Amino acid sequence: MRNADDEHESRDAAESADNFAEGVLQELDEREPEEDEELTADPEEEGDELAGEDHPTYQLEAVSPRVKDANRVEELEALRRENRSLKRRIRIAEERTPKSEGAGSRAADRQRGFLRHQRVALFVDVQNMYHSAKKLHGRNLSYAKLLERTVRGRQLIRATAYVIDRQGIDQEAFIDHLRNTGFQVRRKELVERPDGSRKGNWDLGLALDAIHSSPKVDVVILVTGDGDFAPLITSLTGKGVIVELACFGESASEALVQQAERLHYLGKNDLY
């Protein structure tokens, strides 16, 4: 893990690159358009060993400014993509940096906008979190650590976990664990159609619950990396609710990351 100096240097580098890119693009926008220059045939060229034959010789003129500009734009776009990726890694590193407990930690939380009087509702897409944790780390998410990590001493109004039941898989111990941790559990069976396809997700149910809770809370925390919830963030924000996102940064949808007001990046410290 990078130390604080490394993170500051990376952040400064990303900002400098962005400023450079903006300046060059502005220069390109202001430049007068010029006619494209092409390869031209010169059949009258003499002194060539091909002279007198039916083969025209070609003279390579200067490369068109438009071609140069197009190449520079492509390079700048690649640089911008790299910078966005770098900034995202910086955010993940900052979120994962262990913070000391006590008065100093509480003061830092207040400074970042985590206020104790805020009313919080948390909604967990269990299926998405299970597959993300297994794929990235080969372990399971600790839901007790999740609550502590995201709520941060604020007033928890409700915490709901959305579970898909699969035939032949006993999840009762897991369900009991969620309830003992403080979650309300909503369950839905995975439906297998005659054609062999399967249907089972809580996208609509989770979204409706979040919208219905919005008049009673100040903050909604979505625990998912599924980009299908991006419109939900837009809807909740329009109602004046602060939307926070808890996810594994490596697998989260960029649309979710960009729209959420605050991010809780999960990592190995949040697993069993």
Side-chain angles (χ1 to χ4, degrees):
M1 181 173 295
R2 294 173 294 180
N3 56 34
D5 292 337
D6 293 334
E7 292 176 6
H8 287 307
E9 291 178 2
S10 299
R11 189 181 299 106
D12 292 341
E15 292 176 356
S16 298
D18 277 345
N19 293 335
F20 170 75
E22 291 295 337
V24 173
L25 288 178
Q26 183 177 0
E27 175 188 340
L28 296 179
D29 291 338
E30 295 174 352
R31 178 178 296 177
E32 291 294 334
E34 302 182 27
E35 294 297 328
D36 289 345
E37 299 180 24
E38 302 177 349
L39 295 176
T40 58
D42 187 7
E44 299 180 357
E45 183 72 13
E46 297 181 356
D48 194 297
E49 59 184 22
L50 295 179
E53 299 183 12
D54 293 333
H55 300 284
T57 60
Y58 288 90
Q59 203 169 22
L60 183 61
E61 303 292 345
V63 178
S64 166
R66 287 187 179 180
V67 174
K68 291 182 179 179
D69 290 351
N71 291 338
R72 295 185 71 184
V73 169
E74 290 180 1
E75 293 175 359
L76 290 172
E77 288 300 327
L79 180 61
R80 281 179 167 175
R81 289 193 296 270
E82 183 178 350
N83 286 339
R84 285 196 293 268
S85 176
L86 175 61
K87 289 178 180 179
R88 186 172 179 177
R89 292 197 299 270
I90 291 173
R91 289 198 302 267
I92 294 174
E94 288 175 343
E95 281 288 334
R96 290 178 177 176
T97 301
K99 297 179 176 60
S100 58
E101 301 296 332
S105 178
R106 291 193 295 271
D109 279 351
R110 286 197 299 273
Q111 187 176 12
R112 297 174 65 190
F114 299 107
L115 307 177
R116 297 183 68 85
H117 70 268
Q118 287 178 330
R119 299 165 300 168
V120 176
L122 183 141
F123 302 91
V124 184
D125 181 356
V126 172
Q127 187 175 19
N128 181 270
M129 287 293 99
Y130 171 80
H131 289 295
S132 295
K134 282 291 187 181
K135 180 179 180 180
L136 294 171
H137 304 289
R139 294 159 60 187
N140 292 318
L141 178 66
S142 169
Y143 288 86
K145 293 179 181 178
L146 172 68
L147 281 180
E148 182 179 0
R149 171 77 175 275
T150 56
V151 177
R152 295 177 181 263
R154 296 174 288 182
Q155 300 177 39
L156 181 62
I157 303 302
R158 65 180 297 183
T160 308
Y162 298 82
V163 178
I164 300 295
D165 286 325
R166 300 173 182 271
Q167 291 184 356
I169 299 178
D170 185 3
Q171 298 191 104
E172 293 307 318
F174 173 61
I175 300 300
D176 290 340
H177 167 71
L178 289 174
R179 288 173 175 157
N180 292 334
T181 303
F183 284 91
Q184 174 189 354
V185 179
R186 297 196 63 185
R187 306 173 71 173
K188 177 185 291 186
E189 289 189 3
L190 180 68
V191 178
E192 294 192 11
R193 299 183 175 124
D195 61 0
S197 62
R198 297 179 178 182
K199 177 183 178 182
N201 69 65
W202 269 109
D203 291 6
L204 179 59
L206 189 156
L208 290 175
D209 286 350
I211 291 173
H212 290 160
S213 71
S214 60
K216 305 174 185 177
V217 300
D218 305 300
V219 179
V220 166
I221 303 175
L222 300 178
V223 186
T224 183
D226 189 347
D228 290 344
F229 288 107
L232 174 60
I233 296 181
T234 302
S235 177
L236 292 171
T237 302
K239 296 177 181 296
V241 177
I242 297 171
V243 180
E244 299 176 7
L245 178 69
C247 61
F248 293 96
E250 299 90 336
S251 61
S253 164
E254 187 66 23
L256 288 179
V257 172
Q258 293 296 333
Q259 292 194 48
E261 185 163 342
R262 297 193 184 105
L263 300 171
H264 306 272
Y265 281 119
L266 306 176
K268 291 182 179 180
N269 293 333
D270 304 297
L271 306 174
Y272 280 121

